[in-house]
Amino acid sequence: MPSKPIQLTDDAFLMLRKAIENMDSEVGIQLVAADIMAAAELIEAEYAAVRDTNDWIELRATTAVS
C-alpha cells in the first residue's frame, strides 16, 4: 500500500528548513514550549529527532536513507 504524502504545517516546514540548515553544525534548534506541535509533526514524519543537551531540548534534522 503506498504511503500517504505528509503535509506539514507552515510552522513545521519553517522549522525543518532551519534544522536542515544546521545539520552540519554541532548545535540543534533549541526548543521552547511554543515549538512542541511543529516539532512533534517533524518527529512523527521522521524528518527530525530531539535530544537533551545542557538542560535544553534540541531538534535535529535526520538524514535521508535511500
Side-chain angles (χ1 to χ4, degrees):
M1 175 187 247
S3 63
K4 181 179 174 184
I6 297 169
Q7 189 162 1
L8 298 174
T9 61
D10 291 343
D11 289 341
F13 180 75
L14 293 173
M15 185 178 285
L16 179 60
R17 286 185 57 176
K18 187 174 179 182
I20 290 170
E21 289 173 5
N22 290 345
M23 278 187 80
D24 293 333
S25 75
E26 291 294 319
V27 179
I29 299 171
Q30 292 182 342
L31 298 178
V32 295
D35 298 329
I36 297 300
M37 292 303 292
E41 283 184 68
L42 298 176
I43 294 164
E44 182 178 1
E46 298 180 0
Y47 292 153
V50 293
R51 67 180 180 179
D52 183 8
T53 58
N54 299 325
D55 298 326
W56 282 97
I57 297 175
E58 291 185 344
L59 181 86
R60 302 206 28 106
T62 56
T63 56
V65 177
S66 329

